[in-house]
Amino acid sequence: MKETPMRIRTYAVAAVLAVAAGTAAWALVTPGAQAQSADPEAPPPTNSPLRVLAARDGLRIGTAVDTTALANDATYQKLVGEQFSTVTPENVMKWQLVEAQRGQLTWTAADILVNFAAAHGQLVRGHTLVWHNQLPTWLTSGTFTPAELRQILRRHIIDEVTHFKGRIWQWDVVNEAFNDDGTWRNTIWYQALGPDYIADAFRWAHQADPRALLFYNDYNIEGLGAKSDAVYALVTKLRKQGVPVNGVGLQGHFGTQYGFPGDVAENMARFTALGLDVAVTEADVRSVLPMDNPKTQAQAQGYSVLLQACLLTRRCISFTVWGFTDKYQWVPGTFNGQGSAALYDENFAPKPAYHAVQLDLALAAGTRRR
Ligand code: G3I
């Protein structure tokens, strides 16, 4: 059957990564393999880990990782390795954390995650090189000329991408550069450098690691609208100028109180028509608490809206959730009175949303040919 070469290829890539990491990680690379029959053509059982089901369609399924939880919580660590085939550091590659003091680069926490990923046959999404948030104080409170800021930004990108060279699959090079109405966000970078900092950032990242896939990443661009139009115009222009941009990340922060766009696949299609990859990079579906049955079902639908669009899009190469358990999820700390946004609850019990994702992957199995 046609899905066999895909599965072999996916597992082979993972095996190469595992071998490269000096580990015998076959059991981790193919966690569902034990449950499969002797027939190599047989599909994995529908209750297989998400990564096993996603692999049949050449899709990487990922999670943002809280590296403190990864170090201290055995159940969390087990599920990261078992369920996901790509990981994104939730915070520890951000500028504030890697260069809290100017010139003192700290990679320890991020290195641990990158090594964990290699040992578990996972790829890494690097997050994020250029953002207006979580910047070091020396940068935000300093006084710099535009020329100095440009050099500081260049130095940061080159330093970070060079440190992780060869170990990052996709970089979120520029994150959240637009307002919701499609105008430029008035960030430290835009104020000093105008929109040209974006092309520069991609060129510098490419120079430091020519093999990494370079993404523009933003929220509220999942469906068609003013903001996704602005991103579309940006990447169209960058491609025409020969700027090395490879993809667009649709973050996917949804809320059951808002409903979900019906045109995500259509939106993805216009990006891929430009020759770009797309990825769902930060999916979660929050609710105003307390939860009830309709919200729980709506949450599952929200994840499906994103995942089904991705599965329908040949060049949607990864689907990442922004934290897989409510035990360590960012929403309650940001949106007062909201939460329950993840696939698993605080006790690591899978919710209907998890089963919806699992079923979507199982149903799609083998329908994407790459
Ligand atoms: O680590 C410090 C700790 O030392 C301190 O005691 C504590 C006190 O507030 O703060 C801790 O830092 C927090 C950090 O997360 C690590 O937990 C920050 O306050 C908190 O603001 C930060 O929040 C992160 C947020 O980005 C910052 O904007 C979230 O964890 C993270 O999930 C979130 O992720 C973003 C993506 O990068 C971009 N897209 C949106 C997404 C959700 O906001």
Side-chain angles (χ1 to χ4, degrees), residues 64 66 68 88-92 94 96-97 127-128 131-134 172 175-176 217-219 251 253 281-282 284 322-323 328-331 333-335:
D66 175 334
T68 307
T88 307
E90 185 173 0
N91 285 298
V92 296
K94 292 172 179 172
Q96 185 182 53
L97 284 96
H127 177 84
T128 176
W131 198 22
H132 57 277
N133 216 340
Q134 287 179 289
D172 287 333
N175 195 42
E176 302 172 5
N217 190 50
D218 216 327
Y219 61 86
Q251 292 186 5
H253 293 292
T281 54
E282 306 185 15
D284 54 16
W322 205 244
Y328 305 106
Q329 229 268 343
W330 70 282
V331 166
T334 302
F335 297 105

Side-chain angles (χ1 to χ4, degrees), residues 302-317:
Y303 276 99
S304 275
V305 162
L306 289 165
L307 179 56
Q308 288 177 8
C310 183
L311 286 164
L312 283 165
T313 306
R314 248 175 63 94
R315 294 194 67 164
C316 183
I317 60 176

Side-chain angles (χ1 to χ4, degrees), residues 276-356:
L276 295 165
D277 292 328
V278 293
V280 175
T281 54
E282 306 185 15
D284 54 16
V285 186
R286 63 183 182 270
S287 290
V288 176
L289 299 174
M291 291 302 281
D292 56 23
N293 278 338
K295 291 178 192 173
T296 301
Q297 295 307 321
Q299 188 203 25
Q301 193 203 347
Y303 276 99
S304 275
V305 162
L306 289 165
L307 179 56
Q308 288 177 8
C310 183
L311 286 164
L312 283 165
T313 306
R314 248 175 63 94
R315 294 194 67 164
C316 183
I317 60 176
S318 61
F319 180 92
T320 293
V321 298
W322 205 244
F324 65 93
T325 166
D326 290 335
K327 189 171 180 183
Y328 305 106
Q329 229 268 343
W330 70 282
V331 166
T334 302
F335 297 105
N336 207 8
Q338 298 185 42
S340 194
L343 298 176
Y344 291 79
D345 71 14
E346 297 86 347
N347 301 310
F348 296 108
K351 302 182 198 173
Y354 173 88
H355 296 295

